[in-house]
Amino acid sequence: MRKRNESVTVEHERAAAPAPLDKGCSLRHSLRLPASDTGMKRPLGRRYGLWFRLRKLIVWLLGVYIAIPFLVKLCPAIQAKLVFLNFVRVPYFIDLKRPQDQGLNHTCNYYLQPEEDVTIGVWHTVPAALWKNARGKDQVWFEDALGSSHPVILYLHGNAGTRGGDHRVELYKVLSSLGYHVVTFDYRGWGDSIGSPSERGMTYDALHVFDWIKARSGDNPVYIWGHSLGTGVATNLVRRLCERETPPDALILESPFTNIREEARSHPFSVASTQYFPGFDWFFLDPITTSGIKFANDENVKYISCSLLILHAEDDPVVPFHLGKKLYNIAATSRSFRDYKVQFVPFHTDLGYRHKYIYKSPELPRILREFLGKSEHEHHH
């Protein structure tokens, strides 16, 4: 029995003993096993770290997604800044005191004061026919030139940028070449103009400049041209002028909307947001009204009594074409325009004029000549 037990013990020990090494191969194989376990743990660790970072990013984005609407709702001034975009100064690094740097050698820079603590920068470009005479002249000469036998266009620009914006400068050149004085300015809070922006303030600035022009232009026709957000200022101004019985000779609206709320809701960013953000109107659009921003073109045209021309590109990505058409339909059926011409001129998508390049149209001189020629006839009779 003892021998048998000993043999069993020996056999057991032999079974537990490691197998003999064949030229180190078994050793290498045994060493691979721990390495293989470590390699499995490392990818798992990496995956866990990646998932942790991704989860952190998702939580952060979700927090921003929720916080921004509440921030806008609680601080309507933020929404006002997004409407005006007056803090965006494009192009950068230009000296607004030197319009000649933008190729406007027949332009003078002024500063007017509509109210106490408010100063606005103004550019006056004379007709191209007066270009040679304008060289080297001072402000007094330019002001006197408004009394020459040339019509005047008061141009009201849209949001963002300054009176020195590239597309705006190009329009001044086109209008000057057609024989118009062009007077434009930066609303309070834009460019180098001093003051805080508001719809009331912008409208008052425009009224001040209009009266300044009329005091110097004699019987020459004065037209008002508004673009984009400037159409809201333009209809505010013209409604007020009509109510005091001093209407302009014509109103031109380029890329207009019906009212700022409808425009904000139709903006490409808003259209995308309304699909994924419940309560979009309450969070983003109501604060606009709370800030006192309406720019109600659709209401204003019901009280305007002068000729109206609307220009709109079908491929406008900022102010949808259908809003300009809708405004025209409202104006065309308004009793206030029954004795005046109301015209809508669309520009086909293939032309690529989008939101701010209608000035490139070779048809624009003819359109203005035919429309404003009739307006001048109405003015003198």
Side-chain angles (χ1 to χ4, degrees):
M1 284 295 290
R2 186 177 179 184
K3 287 181 180 179
R4 187 177 175 186
N5 290 339
E6 285 178 356
S7 66
V8 171
T9 305
V10 170
E11 287 176 3
H12 177 74
E13 288 173 353
R14 284 176 184 170
L21 302 177
D22 54 338
K23 298 182 182 179
C25 292
S26 295
L27 177 62
R28 285 194 299 271
H29 178 72
S30 64
L31 290 173
R32 283 191 195 112
L33 289 174
S36 176
D37 290 343
T38 307
M40 289 177 65
K41 288 177 184 177
R42 281 177 184 167
L44 286 173
R46 287 196 196 100
R47 285 177 199 160
Y48 178 78
L50 182 62
W51 166 243
F52 178 76
R53 287 194 293 271
L54 183 61
R55 190 171 61 180
K56 238 175 124 176
L57 178 62
I58 291 171
V59 170
W60 184 83
L61 290 174
L62 187 62
V64 171
Y65 181 77
I66 295 171
I68 287 180
F70 280 100
L71 187 63
V72 171
K73 184 67 179 178
L74 294 173
C75 303
I78 295 175
Q79 189 70 331
K81 284 192 173 293
L82 293 177
V83 171
F84 297 140
L85 291 178
N86 58 301
F87 55 90
V88 178
R89 180 167 174 166
V90 180
Y92 296 98
F93 310 119
I94 70 168
D95 185 354
L96 293 171
K97 296 182 179 67
R98 294 178 52 82
Q100 60 268 30
D101 292 348
Q102 310 307 308
L104 296 172
N105 295 318
H106 50 317
T107 299
C108 186
N109 181 67
Y110 309 145
Y111 289 97
L112 302 179
Q113 192 169 13
E115 295 179 306
E116 189 177 354
D117 300 325
V118 174
T119 303
I120 57 175
V122 181
W123 279 1
H124 171 199
T125 301
V126 296
L130 302 178
W131 181 82
K132 289 184 179 179
N133 294 334
R135 285 185 295 180
K137 297 299 194 299
D138 59 10
Q139 180 174 336
V140 174
W141 184 90
F142 274 84
E143 290 189 34
D144 290 343
L146 284 169
S148 63
S149 58
H150 295 274
V152 184
I153 291 179
L154 170 57
Y155 179 78
L156 305 171
H157 68 66
N159 66 355
T162 68
R163 62 191 183 276
D166 293 340
H167 64 284
R168 294 161 187 165
V169 168
E170 293 306 314
L171 178 63
Y172 310 154
K173 292 176 181 177
V174 170
L175 297 177
S176 172
S177 70
L178 296 176
Y180 300 101
H181 289 275
V182 182
V183 177
T184 186
F185 66 95
D186 280 320
Y187 316 105
R188 61 187 71 188
W190 271 260
D192 57 352
S193 297
I194 299 170
S196 299
S198 67
E199 181 175 355
R200 185 208 69 82
M202 295 164 72
T203 303
Y204 191 81
D205 293 344
L207 177 63
H208 182 81
V209 177
F210 177 84
D211 288 340
W212 179 87
I213 292 169
K214 289 296 289 183
R216 292 158 178 78
S217 60
D219 291 330
N220 295 325
V222 178
Y223 310 120
I224 293 173
W225 184 312
H227 173 244
S228 193
L229 187 67
T231 64
V233 182
T235 63
N236 280 348
L237 169 63
V238 177
R239 176 177 176 174
R240 186 163 177 174
L241 293 176
C242 291
E243 287 174 347
R244 76 176 195 185
E245 300 183 353
T246 57
D249 295 281
L251 171 62
I252 302 167
L253 301 178
E254 179 188 357
S255 307
F257 48 85
T258 47
N259 57 72
I260 196 64
R261 188 184 180 95
E262 196 164 356
E263 152 56 13
R265 206 171 203 292
S266 302
H267 194 278
F269 172 79
S270 301
V271 170
S273 299
T274 51
Q275 296 176 3
Y276 305 104
F277 198 97
F280 179 83
D281 285 17
W282 188 77
F283 277 111
F284 291 97
L285 301 185
D286 289 352
I288 296 178
T289 307
T290 304
S291 300
I293 304 172
K294 296 179 181 178
F295 292 113
N297 289 335
D298 50 355
E299 283 299 313
N300 288 337
V301 293
K302 298 174 184 177
Y303 300 91
I304 288 175
S305 52
C306 68
S307 296
L308 172 65
L309 172 64
I310 296 178
L311 310 171
H312 213 136
E314 292 178 355
D315 59 338
D316 191 328
V318 179
V319 180
F321 177 78
H322 71 86
L323 291 185
K325 186 68 174 177
K326 183 177 179 180
L327 182 64
Y328 165 74
N329 291 333
I330 294 170
T333 57
S334 173
R335 294 196 311 173
S336 65
F337 285 104
R338 63 181 178 270
D339 296 326
Y340 299 93
K341 183 176 183 181
V342 180
Q343 183 178 350
F344 182 85
V345 179
F347 294 86
H348 196 272
T349 300
D350 293 345
L351 297 170
Y353 294 153
R354 296 173 68 79
H355 183 60
K356 55 187 182 182
Y357 301 113
I358 288 177
Y359 73 83
K360 293 183 177 181
S361 172
E363 293 297 310
L364 187 59
R366 177 190 60 79
I367 293 168
L368 294 178
R369 184 169 57 250
E370 292 179 359
F371 180 81
L372 296 180
K374 292 180 180 179
S375 298
E376 289 175 22
H377 178 77
E378 291 170 356
H379 169 74
H380 291 298
H381 292 79

